[in-house]
Amino acid sequence: MRLLSHPHIVRFYEAISGGDGEHVYVVMELAAQGQLYDYVTQLGRLREDEARRIFHQIVSGAEYCHHNMVVHRDLKLENILMDSEMNVKIVDFGFSKFFRHGKVLSQPCGSREYAAPELLAGRRYVGPPVDVWSCGVILYILFCGRLPFDSSDVSELNRIIKRAEFSIPAYVPDDARDLISSMLIVRPDKRLTMNEVRTHRWVQRSIIPRYLAMPPLNARTQITKIDDETVEKVTSHGIDKRHLVESLENGVENEATVTYNLILSKQFDAPTRYLWTIDVCQEAGQSTTTGAAGATGSTAGEQPAAVAVAGGDERSGWALGGVEFQECPRAAMRTIAAALREMGVVYAHDDDHGRYGKLLCARFTGSISSTNVRRVIRSFLTATDTASSSSSGAGSSGSRGQAGHGGGAPVDDAVEINSDVLESLSAAVFFEIQLYKSAGEGNYLMDLRRLSGPQLQYLNICSELSSKLRSVN
């Protein structure tokens, strides 16, 4: 639950160990309207548009789980709660399991009435198709107000599930009938995938909110912008601002971040917060491996969100997806520099015999004087040039002469190293920007490469810069 962050998966805030050492209290968001089961029972069955809205939210949450190598294995109406706005919250991950593509599971799952045939047969099985089957049962209930497979005799129940013996009432629309029949198929390899369910014509036959149209994100590289107004509200309660921001940037769970998330949830709904979210590795075109499952975080057939440029070694940069420039390199660099100024990023012009020149960029934490900015930049350039010349035997180009926080004032040649400079140097994120000509249409791609500083802060910068440049383009 710590891993998963999606509008239709219950929000995890924190886990607290009990004083007796035997109990753990899990703090989650409140789903004020209770179980979907009670809602359907009260109405008998749902209207088609309401069934579509709720089902789309369930499938979106389930697909997000599968994209992040998690199979729920106990999807049912009782484990789907509704918040105060009657939006879905998938809960109860007690049977959930990490899985790997192509690997099989053998552990049992939850409710028998929602269980796929391969579970009842006691065979080893692949994880995601069992959730697809459960979602097929859920959709049937939303339309019909009853289970597709039901018997008081356990043996008889097992038999009809294993054979997928069910009938769909005539009032169910043809497209919904096709979807249900394509999910409740005995052979797991013949069922639709969760992505195919989400993109089925019946599900898509409505106006889709923008956040539901987003592809699922990789939870391990998923970050959300930090809301300054909420930060100020938290710090007004005596929490140190620098400690809060650093904890948020590094994904630390503590009193400060829990307070921040609780206040943020009161101010903005889950879809709004999700729209602030970005998969930074996907945006930067970097492949990523899921730690818990040890499997690739992207699913088969997905197109990369960006294009790798240059060699292939780990020093190569990545072009941000969706950011291309049709104008000349000089004009493109001016656009990039303007975006950096808005972000409070310091940049230094760095010719370095690059194709179209480079920008050496730095973002500092806390306040720093313009004098110290120049000193820190010059200190970094001196250190990197020294390291480069000592390792290769070649001198530096000496052309790294202009830096700016907008205006591009010259950097002091004499470097005075003091404690403030050293502290700012160690806390800063340094990265490099260069333009490359793309294959085919001849547009220019922006290549970024981190040089030093915290990785997560750098990824936040990539996300923010990508958003700004996309809006301009």
Side-chain angles (χ1 to χ4, degrees), residues 19 85 98 110 119 124 184 251 261 332 379 402 416:
E85 302 297 322
F98 284 110
L119 298 177
R124 292 165 66 83
L184 299 180
N261 286 319
S379 299
Q402 297 289 326
E416 180 184 341

Side-chain angles (χ1 to χ4, degrees), residues 400-436:
R400 304 179 175 191
Q402 297 289 326
H405 195 187
V411 178
D412 297 337
D413 286 326
V415 181
E416 180 184 341
I417 303 294
N418 55 39
S419 58
D420 290 340
V421 172
L422 288 175
E423 183 178 354
S424 298
L425 187 60
S426 62
V429 177
F430 284 90
F431 60 101
E432 197 171 62
I433 294 177
Q434 185 172 359
L435 292 181
Y436 286 83

Side-chain angles (χ1 to χ4, degrees), residues 31 33-40 77-82:
Q33 293 297 323
Q35 296 179 0
L36 178 58
Y37 175 88
D38 295 330
Y39 182 62
V40 175
L77 265 64
E78 294 87 340
N79 285 343
I80 297 168
L81 304 186
M82 312 296 289

Side-chain angles (χ1 to χ4, degrees), residues 266-325:
K266 283 289 186 182
Q267 292 183 282
F268 304 99
D269 62 17
T272 299
R273 298 194 306 271
Y274 194 66
L275 287 172
W276 294 348
T277 307
I278 191 170
D279 179 348
V280 287
C281 281
Q282 188 183 75
E283 283 293 304
Q286 300 177 43
S287 62
T288 182
T289 300
T290 56
T296 302
S298 59
T299 54
E302 289 183 349
Q303 297 300 314
V307 181
V309 295
D313 59 82
E314 62 182 23
R315 289 180 56 81
S316 297
W318 297 88
L320 289 187
V323 180
E324 290 192 28
F325 301 91

Side-chain angles (χ1 to χ4, degrees), residues 348-360:
H349 303 288
D350 176 14
D351 186 10
D352 201 27
H353 306 295
R355 271 188 175 180
Y356 308 113
K358 298 179 182 178
L359 290 181
L360 173 69

Side-chain angles (χ1 to χ4, degrees), residues 132-434:
V132 173
W133 176 280
S134 298
C135 284
V137 175
I138 289 171
L139 182 57
Y140 184 99
I141 299 172
L142 296 183
F143 266 110
C144 306
R146 58 182 173 84
L147 288 159
F149 312 104
D150 194 17
S151 175
S152 57
D153 183 278
V154 174
S155 299
E156 175 65 10
L157 178 61
N158 287 351
R159 186 189 68 79
I160 60 177
I161 291 176
K162 289 177 182 178
R163 296 185 179 183
E165 295 178 358
F166 67 97
S167 60
I168 302 177
Y171 57 76
V172 177
D174 289 343
D175 283 348
R177 180 188 301 271
D178 175 76
L179 178 56
I180 293 170
S181 299
S182 300
M183 299 168 76
L184 299 180
I185 293 178
V186 173
R187 286 185 54 178
D189 59 321
K190 298 297 183 182
R191 283 176 217 150
L192 299 182
T193 65
M194 203 62 80
N195 177 262
E196 290 170 334
V197 172
R198 184 176 61 83
T199 55
H200 188 275
R201 58 184 178 276
W202 180 80
V203 178
Q204 296 291 313
R205 190 183 294 164
S206 63
I207 298 175
I208 300 172
R210 189 156 65 94
Y211 78 96
L212 285 180
M214 292 171 59
L217 304 179
N218 189 318
R220 293 169 180 82
T221 55
Q222 178 180 339
I223 60 171
T224 303
K225 77 169 187 177
I226 298 174
D227 182 61
D228 293 336
E229 183 181 344
T230 305
V231 168
E232 294 302 322
K233 288 187 176 183
V234 174
T235 55
S236 69
H237 293 282
I239 293 176
D240 180 71
K241 183 175 181 178
R242 181 172 181 178
H243 168 64
L244 170 61
V245 172
E246 288 180 353
S247 297
L248 290 170
E249 289 178 341
N250 292 296
V252 176
E253 178 191 309
N254 54 34
E255 180 182 357
T257 56
V258 171
T259 304
Y260 171 88
N261 286 319
L262 286 168
I263 294 176
L264 190 71
S265 298
K266 283 289 186 182
Q267 292 183 282
F268 304 99
D269 62 17
T272 299
R273 298 194 306 271
Y274 194 66
L275 287 172
W276 294 348
T277 307
I278 191 170
D279 179 348
V280 287
C281 281
Q282 188 183 75
E283 283 293 304
Q286 300 177 43
S287 62
T288 182
T289 300
T290 56
T296 302
S298 59
T299 54
E302 289 183 349
Q303 297 300 314
V307 181
V309 295
D313 59 82
E314 62 182 23
R315 289 180 56 81
S316 297
W318 297 88
L320 289 187
V323 180
E324 290 192 28
F325 301 91
Q326 295 179 345
E327 63 263 37
C328 70
R330 186 181 297 275
M333 278 297 193
R334 281 199 295 266
T335 302
I336 295 169
L340 293 172
R341 284 197 298 270
E342 289 183 22
M343 295 167 56
V345 172
V346 179
Y347 58 88
H349 303 288
D350 176 14
D351 186 10
D352 201 27
H353 306 295
R355 271 188 175 180
Y356 308 113
K358 298 179 182 178
L359 290 181
L360 173 69
C361 306
R363 177 181 266 180
F364 302 95
T365 57
S367 59
I368 179 172
S369 68
S370 57
T371 301
N372 274 350
V373 164
R374 298 189 186 95
R375 289 171 176 167
V376 171
I377 292 285
R378 178 54 66 188
S379 299
F380 180 82
L381 292 176
T382 302
T384 53
D385 284 346
T386 301
S388 175
S389 60
S390 64
S391 61
S392 65
S396 60
S397 68
S399 60
R400 304 179 175 191
Q402 297 289 326
H405 195 187
V411 178
D412 297 337
D413 286 326
V415 181
E416 180 184 341
I417 303 294
N418 55 39
S419 58
D420 290 340
V421 172
L422 288 175
E423 183 178 354
S424 298
L425 187 60
S426 62
V429 177
F430 284 90
F431 60 101
E432 197 171 62
I433 294 177
Q434 185 172 359

